[in-house]
Structures are given as C-alpha cells and as structure tokens.
C-alpha cells in the first residue's frame, strides 16, 4: 500500500508539473518542436533553407602547388578582428585568414615547402596512410577552436583530428575496421599555426571522420558528437530486403562524449559511448547519419545533420536539421526537409556537403554557416554520373532564429500556445508578414479573447507587437496567433 500511495503521489506531482505555465521571457522561443504549442490549425512547420553566398566557393584550390581537393573538414572562427579557417587541403591542413569572412588570403608560410614555394599548409602527410612528422597516426582533420579557458598559453588553440593506426596488432582496436586502431588525437598551439601533439588517443569512442564538438555553457564541458555505427532492429528488418543492403549500408550513426578540458573524455573505449542519432523508419531506405554538428541556441540545442543517402543510384550527402532540449535526446525537424541543398548541374557543390566544426557565426542579423562542397559522389558508386574530385568551402546564411517557420497560407492558419507565464512588458515576434498579416490575441483560461493586436505586416527579425488598446500583459495567458500568407519564427518578451 505504501508503494501504491507513493506512486500515486508521484503521478499527481507529475500532473501538476505538466500543468505549470511555460515561462516566456527574453529568451527567444523557436518553433522547432511543439514545446509551446497546444494546437495548430491550417499551419505547417517548414524548414527555412539557408541561402548560399553568391561568391561561393569562397576557398577553392587555385595555387600551382595545391591539391584539387580543399574542403571544410575543419573550422572557421572569428578571432579578434579576423576570421580564420583551418581546412583539409589534399593530404594536408590548410590555413587562411580574412577580414570579412568572404575574401580569404592564403598566407605564405615556411612550414611546408613545395617546389621551392612557401605554402599555406601547416603540415602534409607523406602518403594516404603515412602521417606527417610529429603526428604518428594523423589521418584527417576534425577542427580547431580557441580555448580561452586554458591556463597554458601553448595550448590556447586546440585541434582534434582522426588518428588511425593501420598496422594495429595489439588488443582492442576498432570493431568496425579490423586490424586498425581509431580515435581522436589532440594537438595544442599558442597561435593556431605551430602545433604540438598532446594525446594520440584522447578517445576511441569515435571511429571516423566528420566528428564535431561544441562548448556547452550549461554543463561547462565540451561535448563531442562523433562517428559510430548502429542500426535500429526495425531498420535492419525493413531494409535488409533490398539487394543493395549488404554491400552498401554501413549504419553510420552519432555517439556522444563529454570532457571538461578537451583532452580527457568520459568514454574512451570503442563502442562505449551512447548513440544519440541514427536513421529510423521515417527516413528513406538507405539513409545514414554521417555526422551531426550541434550548438547551443537560445536555451535549446540545434543540430546540423549531415545525411548520407547510401543507395546505388544516389550516394549523396546533404544537410538537414535536428533539435534537442537537453543535448542528448534529439528530434528531427519538420518534414526532414533539406536545410542546405545540393547544387544543381553546373555547380561546385554538386553531390557532397560537409559541415564546418564551429557554431554558426552571427554577423549583424545573419547567422553564417560555413560548409564544404564537392563535385563527386561519395563511394561506392558505379554509375555514369560520379563527378570529378574537386571541392572547396562555401557559405550559407539565414537570418537569426529563422531555422524553421510556422507557415500559414491565405486560408488563415492559427496556433494556440500552452499557458504562458509572461515575464516581460512587451511581446516580440520574428516573422515575415510583408505580403500577409499576423494577429496575436491574449486568451483567458476558457480560450476567450481578452485583447487583440494590430495587424503585423512587416518582415523583421524583431517586431514589437502593438495592441489595439493600451494594456498591461497579464502574468499568465495563452496566445492565439493567426497567420495569413505569413511565416512565424520566434516569440519572446522584454
């Protein structure tokens, strides 16, 4: 009886908690999920595609000594008054700088000399499986960040990269690549140019390229989202009937590990880290999760999802969206629409997108997302439309908050929010309504309209809601937002 009573008390407490109003304050509430929404009518959630910069590709192999592949397996950071990029340049690590993040200069450094010429390479491998001096297992760049929490100035910049021991004979090793040891190596630098190895095997819980991390201020830790392999049982059952499954499907997925200092990680053994993102039955058969770049944004976590369409007639990679409210449990966004689309015929980013290992950089009202584009398909592919092995770095942008829209057409859609505890004195929207209108109403507990706003008919990232009559926002209220030929992105108060 005591157990039953305790269970009932817990259920009652949970019900009471579920009924508590959601605080609406200066933090922008985006509509990537239904957190705020009680009901929707004639409204759909759509991914707002990022807009590619007209000068793309911004970094492209053009020097006589450069490899034909210069893509953003790497990072772009704003460091003081300059933008800096570290990227995969053939078998080496390339470095460039920019005053505006658009026009890039490749400095002539004396670290790697080719045909008597200085280059912008920090190092270069001796061969595909032969690492450079000083980095005995280096295979491929993950990225670079500036660590202002680091007390040791010689480690102010930190680099993460894929290490592979191709001749591993000891115990352990990578379960997905027999005869190999794989993991993340870490190096440190005082200036981002001159690097020294810190740890060859910081963690072996990840096994391949396209691994990303973020600094999570809520946890005061680095959080890494890296490559592993996992297929859900229902996916195996459904997709194994296809004749391509055995030879093509590798079940790429994303695992998660944490670290306070970027050197010592909570999970270090192969297959030990929890998997947080993998393909499911809502995906097109053959879908694999190639990578996930996660960043904190307005109290939530947004993920840029690199999706591999691993079937014989496609073999392409594009970018979609996912989100989380705890950084662990992720939800795919909207109808899983493409966020950064592949380029059409004639473009430099035709078949294969990768993501820079840095959070979006805000410049004015724009969020900058740097990405890699390639002109050839990911293997295996045996068709006639494989492409050519060329690649570079481009830029795509969105206005702040505008990852996803609640979209209403002329039939006039509406949403009703859950009860909100309104902490500010003014209500703000991020919306596009310049060829339509949005109207906001305050509702009482029975859903009766208490006040109505003047029609909103602008396209702005910060729209101050004006009411038909002067009023003080109530402490608790639901909102009904009517949307006619308009798009709503976010709401907040101040």
């Amino acid at each position: 009886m005591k157990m039953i009573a305790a269970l009932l008390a817990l259920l009652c407490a949970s019900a009471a908690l579920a009924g508590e109003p959601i605080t609406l304050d200066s933090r922008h509430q985006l509509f990537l999920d239904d957190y705020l929404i009680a009901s929707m009518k004639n409204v759909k959630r759509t991914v707002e595609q990022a807009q590619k910069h007209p000068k793309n590709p911004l970094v492209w192999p053009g020097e006589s000594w450069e490899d034909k592949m210069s893509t953003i397996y790497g990072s772009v950071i704003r460091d003081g008054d300059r933008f800096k990029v570290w990227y995969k340049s053939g078998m080496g690590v390339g470095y460039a700088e920019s005053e505006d993040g658009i026009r890039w200069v490749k400095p002539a450094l004396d670290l790697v000399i080719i045909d008597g010429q200085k280059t912008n390479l920090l190092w270069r491998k001796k061969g595909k499986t032969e690492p450079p001096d000083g980095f005995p297992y280096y295979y491929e760049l993950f990225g670079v960040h500036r660590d202002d929490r680091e007390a040791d100035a010689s480690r102010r910049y930190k680099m993460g990269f894929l290490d592979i021991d191709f001749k591993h004979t000891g115990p352990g090793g990578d379960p997905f690549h027999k005869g190999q040891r794989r993991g993340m190596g870490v190096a440190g630098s005082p200036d981002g140019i001159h690097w020294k190895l810190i740890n060859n095997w910081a963690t072996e819980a990840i096994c391949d390229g396209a691994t990303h991390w973020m600094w999570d201020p809520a946890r005061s830790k680095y959080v890494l989202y890296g490559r592993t392999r996992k297929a859900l049982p229902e996916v195996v059952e459904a997709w194994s009937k296809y004749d391509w499954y055995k030879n093509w499907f590798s079940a790429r997925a994303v695992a998660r590990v944490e670290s306070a200092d970027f050197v010592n990680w909570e999970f270090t053994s192969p297959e030990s880290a929890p998997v947080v993102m993998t393909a499911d039955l809502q995906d097109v058969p053959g879908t694999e999760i190639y990578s996930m770049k996660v960043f904190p944004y307005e109290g939530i976590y947004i993920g840029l999802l690199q999706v591999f369409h691993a079937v014989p007639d496609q073999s392409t990679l594009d970018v979609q969206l996912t989100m989380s409210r705890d950084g662990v449990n992720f939800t795919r966004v909207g109808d899983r629409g493409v966020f950064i689309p592949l380029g059409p015929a004639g473009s430099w980013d035709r078949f294969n997108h990768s993501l820079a290992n840095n959070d979006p950089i805000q410049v004015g009202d724009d969020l900058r997302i740097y990405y890699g584009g390639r002109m050839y398909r990911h293997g295996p592919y045996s068709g006639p439309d494989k492409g050519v092995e060329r690649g570079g770095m481009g830029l795509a942008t969105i206005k702040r908050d505008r990852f996803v829209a609640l979209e209403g057409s002329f039939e006039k859609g509406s949403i009703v929010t859950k009860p909100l505890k309104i902490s500010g004195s003014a209500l703000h929207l991020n919306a596009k309504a310049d060829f339509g209108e949005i109207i906001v109403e305050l509702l009482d507990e029975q859903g009766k309209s208490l006040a109505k706003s003047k029609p909103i008919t602008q396209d702005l990232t910060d729209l101050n809601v004006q009411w038909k009559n002067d009023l003080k926002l109530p402490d608790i209220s639901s909102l009904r937002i009517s949307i006619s030929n308009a798009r709503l992105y976010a709401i907040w108060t101040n």
Side-chain angles (χ1 to χ4, degrees):
M1 292 295 294
K2 290 182 178 180
M3 183 178 295
I4 294 174
L7 180 59
L8 288 173
L10 179 61
L11 291 173
C12 290
S14 298
L17 184 62
E20 291 181 358
I22 297 170
T23 298
L24 186 65
D25 53 21
S26 60
R27 181 179 294 174
H28 294 204
Q29 292 288 346
L30 281 60
F31 294 100
L32 279 71
D33 62 1
D34 290 337
Y35 176 68
L36 282 189
I37 298 172
S39 65
M40 292 196 300
K41 181 180 179 181
N42 294 333
V43 170
K44 63 180 181 179
R45 182 181 285 113
T46 59
V47 172
E48 187 91 345
Q49 285 193 347
Q51 300 300 304
K52 297 178 182 180
H53 197 279
K55 293 186 181 297
N56 282 349
L58 303 183
V59 175
W60 189 256
E63 303 295 337
S64 61
W65 49 263
E66 285 188 290
D67 187 276
K68 57 189 174 183
M69 182 60 64
S70 296
T71 195
I72 189 69
Y73 268 46
S75 302
V76 179
I77 67 172
R78 186 161 46 183
D79 194 0
D81 61 354
R82 303 188 72 78
F83 292 81
K84 299 177 179 180
V85 59
W86 295 259
Y87 62 96
K88 175 181 169 65
S89 178
M91 293 192 297
V93 175
Y95 172 78
E97 295 183 348
S98 172
E99 293 183 355
D100 59 6
I102 306 298
R103 295 174 290 272
W104 292 86
V105 175
K106 301 171 183 176
L109 306 173
D110 59 5
L111 299 174
V112 177
I113 306 297
I114 299 177
D115 296 331
Q117 288 183 285
K118 293 182 179 181
T119 72
N120 72 321
L121 298 182
L122 305 184
W123 64 69
R124 185 173 64 162
K125 294 193 298 183
K126 300 171 184 177
K128 184 175 181 180
T129 62
E130 298 179 76
D133 294 335
F135 299 88
Y137 303 107
Y138 175 88
Y139 184 77
E140 190 171 71
L141 180 64
F142 290 158
V144 171
H145 68 274
R146 179 182 167 115
D147 185 1
D148 290 321
R149 290 166 290 277
E150 174 61 67
D152 183 348
S154 70
R155 297 183 175 186
R156 180 71 65 233
Y157 296 83
K158 291 193 175 70
M159 175 185 290
F161 47 87
L162 176 63
D163 267 347
I164 303 180
D165 179 359
F166 286 97
K167 300 177 181 179
H168 179 70
T169 57
D174 186 77
F176 308 118
H177 303 85
K178 299 300 181 183
Q180 297 181 13
R181 185 182 184 186
R182 289 182 168 225
M184 184 173 77
V186 176
S189 169
D191 56 8
I193 305 294
H194 303 88
W195 295 87
K196 287 187 177 181
L197 181 67
I198 296 175
N199 189 343
N200 279 316
W201 308 104
T203 175
E204 295 174 62
I206 53 94
C207 69
D208 212 341
T211 285
H212 304 284
W213 59 79
M214 67 171 177
W215 172 257
D216 187 354
R219 291 178 169 84
S220 293
K221 288 184 178 180
Y222 293 98
V223 182
L224 182 148
Y225 297 87
R227 174 75 59 74
T228 187
R229 295 189 182 184
K230 180 179 180 179
L232 300 175
E234 60 269 27
V235 165
V236 174
E237 181 180 0
W239 296 358
S240 60
K241 65 183 180 183
Y242 295 102
D243 57 8
W244 47 258
Y245 179 84
K246 183 177 180 181
N247 294 325
W248 286 71
F249 188 70
S250 298
R252 291 173 177 87
V254 175
R256 180 185 182 278
V257 293
E258 295 183 358
S259 171
D261 60 5
F262 200 73
V263 177
N264 301 287
W265 297 85
E266 59 171 340
F267 295 100
T268 57
S269 301
E271 288 192 284
S272 60
V275 176
V276 295
M277 179 58 64
T278 188
D280 60 34
L281 288 180
Q282 293 185 52
D283 286 307
V284 174
T287 298
E288 300 186 34
I289 306 303
Y290 206 83
S291 75
M292 183 168 68
K293 166 56 195 168
V294 178
F295 53 95
Y297 190 92
E298 295 289 349
I300 63 174
Y301 301 89
I302 297 176
L304 303 178
L305 205 62
Q306 189 185 16
V307 178
F308 181 26
H309 305 282
V311 291
D313 60 342
Q314 292 190 36
S315 293
T316 58
L317 291 101
D318 55 33
V319 178
Q320 300 178 15
L321 291 176
T322 185
M323 65 84 60
S324 172
R325 292 195 171 270
D326 60 7
V328 178
N329 300 286
F330 285 85
T331 301
R332 306 282 287 277
V333 171
D335 60 356
R336 307 192 180 193
V338 175
F339 179 60
I340 305 178
L342 295 173
S347 61
W348 68 279
D349 58 349
R350 183 75 177 93
F351 292 128
N352 190 330
H353 284 172
S354 56
L355 294 161
N357 193 3
N358 57 272
D359 297 355
I361 299 172
Q362 185 167 342
V363 179
D365 243 3
D366 290 336
L367 297 178
R368 292 186 175 184
I369 300 163
Y370 291 91
Y371 72 99
R374 286 177 262 186
M375 295 170 63
Y376 72 98
R377 296 181 188 272
H378 192 292
Y381 179 81
S382 57
D385 196 25
K386 185 174 183 177
V388 294
E389 293 193 15
R390 298 291 303 277
M393 182 187 81
L395 169 63
T397 62
I398 61 167
K399 296 295 183 184
R400 60 187 177 93
D401 299 347
R402 294 190 175 188
F403 295 94
V404 163
L406 294 184
E407 174 187 295
S409 190
F410 286 104
E411 58 186 337
K412 187 174 289 187
S414 65
I415 68 165
V416 176
T417 70
K418 297 170 184 175
L420 303 175
K421 183 177 181 181
I422 301 174
S423 67
S425 59
L427 189 65
H428 295 258
L429 304 181
N430 185 331
K432 183 184 187 319
D434 46 339
F435 297 104
E437 69 174 22
I438 292 176
I439 294 175
V440 182
E441 294 177 82
L442 297 170
L443 306 180
D444 65 15
E445 293 181 359
Q446 287 71 44
K448 181 181 177 181
S449 179
L450 299 174
K452 183 178 289 189
S453 74
K454 297 177 182 178
I456 296 165
T457 58
Q458 295 172 284
D459 177 5
L460 291 172
T461 57
D462 188 351
L463 288 158
N464 192 347
V465 176
Q466 303 291 322
W467 302 96
K468 288 187 174 181
N469 300 303
D470 292 337
L471 62 83
K472 178 180 180 297
L473 289 176
D475 293 334
I476 297 176
S477 176
S478 294
L479 304 177
R480 178 163 54 228
I481 305 176
S482 299
I483 308 169
S484 178
N485 197 40
R487 301 170 71 80
L488 174 64
Y489 303 99
I491 186 170
W492 67 96
T493 64
N494 70 359

